[in-house]
Amino acid sequence: MLRHLRPRSFRGFLGFARLAGTESEAQGAYGSKFWREAQRFEKRQEELKQAKVTAAGPPPGEETPNPEEETKKQLGRMFLDLPGHTSPTTAYLLHQRGVLEPTVKPPLDRETFEQLYVEVREQHFKDRRANVARKRRKRRNFALLNTGYKEEDDVYDAEEEEFDDGYRQQSIVEDCWKADYYQSLTTMELKKTLPEREVMAQRTDRMADVLQAAVKATWSDQNRPVLTHELADFENPYMMKRSALERLLHERCVRNELDERCLPRLLDRHPDLVKLRRQAALPPEVLEPLAAFRGDVRWHFDARERLGQKLVGAEAALDAVVAGEEVSKVVAALPENQTESPPADQVPGLHHPWRNHVGFETAVPRGVAGGTKFGQPEPALTTQNMKLRYPTLQQVAHTLPADPKWRAHVVRSIRVLERSKDWDFQSKLTAVNKLKEVYDQLKPSDVYTAALDEKLPVNRVPSHLKRKYAPDAQYVRTYPKHFLKKKSFYRYRPSLTATTPLVKSKK
């Protein structure tokens, strides 16, 4: 009959075993292993009940058997939950209110609790330091970091017709034909259609020469091809021809590393490339410093931009002529001659009324061709600096401190930072502005000078003068005997302009 009674859990089994009367009958019914599991489960249930009773504390009206040990358990758990954020006073309040677990009734007195608090806290700090040291001494098992076997993904070659050898050859030939066409367009057609007025006329700044150069640039841009074998767009015919020939030789003629190493030398000696390199226009990095050194403030490397500047000046002169102004006023109306009283908004976004400070905008390519900064607008401060002839700190050299000593310090700092190459411009502006704010909050320098003169031995006089005029003054002191012999001539003199600290030479 007992074999047909199947309990649904261990609890049911325990009642069933008691109903059976003996352990032997239960073991015979279910086996010794099942019986051991049942006993282990019953023991675990009793431990859980006892733990709940201990955590809940004694019932109301009963005292805790061992209050000091229970209080230590409270503090240990509190330090783990709130590390470094609980003072003895706060901990004692929590202990009195019964917030800490396990609950201690009645609470301990203040003196005993503080002694236990200090003891448990020191032990907690020791355990924490030991735990950190144990983790540091633990050796890293690099075998566990091995990811093991990894199957690489299959890589499939392109099988389209456009990637076959015949199509690649046709694209290379097409690029070579485009380079020859662009060469003939720039060297022959443009010279026949728009011949130069004289030798080196393109270097002048006359209206007719600038107009001719602008028309040539527009025509060449409209008829400039784009290489297709490896997508590239070159404005210079020399670079277009060199790129096309380099792809042709590299794809069809190079056989080994020696041929590849000799390829640049072969291209440099090619007759067409030698002629195109001689006829190529100079880059802006060459001409812009010369124009800036000459003092031009309205100039641009691009002929089309320069033509627009000249048309604006001609329109201003014509407006003055139509208004019936005198010749001197017509000349003064030109933008190039408005240097004595420049407009305050000559730098966009900045009040900048100073003269001879704004120059022309550079045409050197800048920016990035990829990355997180690609396509983002240029910072306003960078745009302002690109229009200045010299990036000085004139825009912050105002509202200086009224005190002469503080003002001199700020002026010297500005002069040093203007010539510092390791600082970016925004950091220089921030440093000067903060320096002025600090000096505005300080007292006058006379207050600090008087205090230092009173406390420091700076008024050094001979001994006979001290005995005669200041016998009781403690702050007036003399140099010790033979102080010049003991003086070091190798002391370090700090300087804001020094790049490396002075090192004492060894004798």
Side-chain angles (χ1 to χ4, degrees):
M1 174 181 175
L2 294 176
R3 295 183 179 180
H4 298 284
L5 297 177
R6 298 291 181 179
R8 298 183 179 180
S9 63
F10 282 137
R11 289 182 180 179
F13 172 76
L14 294 175
F16 171 73
R18 296 189 187 97
L19 182 62
T22 60
E23 296 182 4
S24 59
E25 295 181 4
Q27 292 177 1
Y30 285 91
S32 59
K33 183 177 180 181
F34 190 81
W35 174 252
R36 289 194 300 269
E37 294 291 338
Q39 287 182 336
R40 190 180 296 111
F41 180 78
E42 184 180 14
K43 184 178 179 181
R44 182 59 179 166
Q45 292 294 330
E46 294 296 334
E47 291 177 354
L48 292 176
K49 289 181 181 180
Q50 186 64 26
K52 291 181 179 179
V53 172
T54 305
E62 297 183 5
E63 296 183 358
T64 306
N66 195 353
E68 294 184 359
E69 294 296 331
E70 299 298 327
T71 304
K72 289 182 179 180
K73 293 181 180 179
Q74 285 184 349
L75 294 175
R77 183 175 298 181
M78 183 193 67
F79 285 134
L80 292 176
D81 296 340
L82 303 173
H85 295 282
T86 307
S87 61
T89 304
T90 306
Y92 186 68
L93 291 177
L94 297 176
H95 172 73
Q96 280 187 329
R97 296 174 183 175
V99 179
L100 301 179
E101 294 182 357
T103 309
V104 177
K105 292 183 180 181
L108 300 179
D109 58 297
R110 180 64 177 269
E111 184 178 358
T112 306
F113 181 83
E114 289 184 354
Q115 293 178 358
L116 296 177
Y117 178 88
V118 174
E119 180 182 351
V120 175
R121 184 178 61 179
E122 292 179 356
Q123 186 63 32
H124 172 72
F125 288 161
K126 290 181 181 179
D127 295 342
R128 189 172 63 178
R129 286 193 294 268
N131 189 22
V132 173
R134 180 183 58 80
K135 290 183 179 179
R136 289 178 179 175
R137 288 194 303 266
K138 186 177 180 181
R139 294 187 177 182
R140 202 169 186 180
N141 190 357
F142 293 97
L144 298 178
L145 301 178
N146 185 13
T147 57
Y149 172 75
K150 183 178 179 182
E151 185 176 357
E152 300 292 340
D153 297 335
D154 296 335
V155 179
Y156 301 96
D157 296 334
E159 298 179 356
E160 298 294 333
E161 296 181 358
E162 288 78 4
F163 296 97
D164 293 341
D165 187 70
Y167 280 89
R168 293 181 61 86
Q169 182 177 356
Q170 292 179 7
S171 63
I172 293 175
V173 172
E174 181 183 354
D175 286 350
C176 293
W177 179 85
K178 289 180 179 179
D180 292 337
Y181 164 75
Y182 190 57
Q183 176 186 358
S184 63
L185 174 67
T186 54
T187 57
M188 300 177 60
E189 296 296 333
L190 286 179
K191 288 185 177 181
K192 290 181 181 179
T193 307
L194 298 172
E196 292 187 357
R197 177 178 54 84
E198 59 182 10
V199 180
M200 300 298 292
Q202 58 180 352
R203 296 286 183 266
T204 63
D205 200 41
R206 296 181 60 213
M207 185 70 174
D209 297 333
V210 173
L211 176 61
Q212 183 180 10
V215 172
K216 285 184 178 181
T218 305
W219 192 8
S220 62
D221 283 349
Q222 292 177 353
N223 296 274
R224 182 175 69 245
V226 178
L227 303 183
T228 56
H229 182 69
E230 289 203 11
L231 186 61
D233 185 12
F234 297 102
E235 185 178 357
N236 194 339
Y238 163 75
M239 289 302 302
M240 184 176 294
K241 183 85 176 224
R242 184 184 179 91
S243 178
L245 291 178
E246 183 178 3
R247 297 300 174 191
L248 174 62
L249 296 176
H250 198 278
E251 291 273 351
R252 299 298 170 182
C253 301
V254 172
R255 298 165 297 179
N256 47 41
E257 294 183 0
L258 179 62
D259 293 349
E260 186 176 2
R261 226 181 305 167
C262 297
L263 181 59
R265 188 180 304 175
L266 175 63
L267 293 175
D268 292 339
R269 297 181 179 181
H270 195 276
D272 289 348
L273 295 180
V274 172
K275 295 179 182 178
L276 290 176
R277 185 168 60 249
R278 180 180 60 85
Q279 299 173 359
L282 294 176
E285 291 86 351
V286 177
L287 298 180
E288 285 183 354
L290 300 178
F293 181 77
R294 190 174 58 181
D296 294 342
V297 296
R298 285 181 56 83
W299 187 81
H300 203 279
F301 175 79
D302 192 357
R304 288 165 286 188
E305 296 289 340
R306 182 57 182 153
L307 179 61
Q309 295 176 356
K310 284 186 168 294
L311 292 178
V312 171
E315 185 177 0
L318 292 177
D319 292 341
V321 171
V322 172
E325 302 290 347
E326 299 179 359
V327 178
S328 59
K329 294 185 178 181
V330 173
V331 175
L334 296 176
E336 289 83 355
N337 300 326
Q338 295 179 0
T339 57
E340 295 298 328
S341 58
D345 58 344
Q346 56 181 341
V347 178
L350 187 66
H351 181 74
H352 202 91
W354 294 283
R355 298 177 299 172
N356 299 327
H357 205 205
V358 178
F360 56 85
E361 187 176 358
T362 178
V364 177
R366 59 183 185 271
V368 294
T372 58
K373 298 295 182 180
F374 179 70
Q376 294 186 6
E378 191 178 48
L381 186 62
T382 305
T383 306
Q384 295 171 4
N385 290 338
M386 297 304 295
K387 292 185 65 66
L388 300 181
R389 298 177 64 184
Y390 307 101
T392 62
L393 299 179
Q394 184 70 35
Q395 53 183 306
V396 293
H398 56 81
T399 60
L400 301 179
D403 188 87
K405 185 177 291 186
W406 302 156
R407 177 185 290 265
H409 188 195
V410 174
V411 171
R412 175 170 175 78
S413 301
I414 290 175
R415 292 176 179 175
V416 171
L417 289 176
E418 282 181 345
R419 290 157 179 80
S420 178
K421 299 181 180 180
D422 299 330
W423 286 47
D424 60 288
F425 196 75
Q426 181 62 48
S427 298
K428 294 180 181 180
L429 299 181
T430 304
V432 175
N433 288 329
K434 287 186 178 180
L435 186 62
K436 293 192 297 183
E437 291 179 4
V438 169
Y439 279 136
D440 289 340
Q441 301 296 329
L442 289 180
K443 297 179 181 180
S445 61
D446 297 338
V447 178
Y448 300 97
T449 303
L452 292 174
D453 289 344
E454 182 180 358
K455 299 299 181 181
L456 297 179
V458 293
N459 300 324
R460 303 182 185 274
V461 295
S463 300
H464 66 282
L465 295 179
K466 175 183 178 300
R467 290 193 299 266
K468 183 178 181 180
Y469 296 104
D472 300 331
Q474 297 296 330
Y475 59 89
V476 178
R477 301 177 184 176
T478 59
Y479 286 113
K481 190 176 181 180
H482 304 298
F483 75 96
L484 289 177
K485 296 181 180 179
K486 300 178 182 179
K487 185 178 179 181
S488 175
F489 292 94
Y490 296 97
R491 68 163 62 102
Y492 171 63
R493 301 181 182 275
S495 174
L496 293 175
T497 59
T499 56
T500 55
L502 182 63
V503 181
K504 183 177 179 180
S505 59
K506 297 182 179 179
K507 294 183 179 180

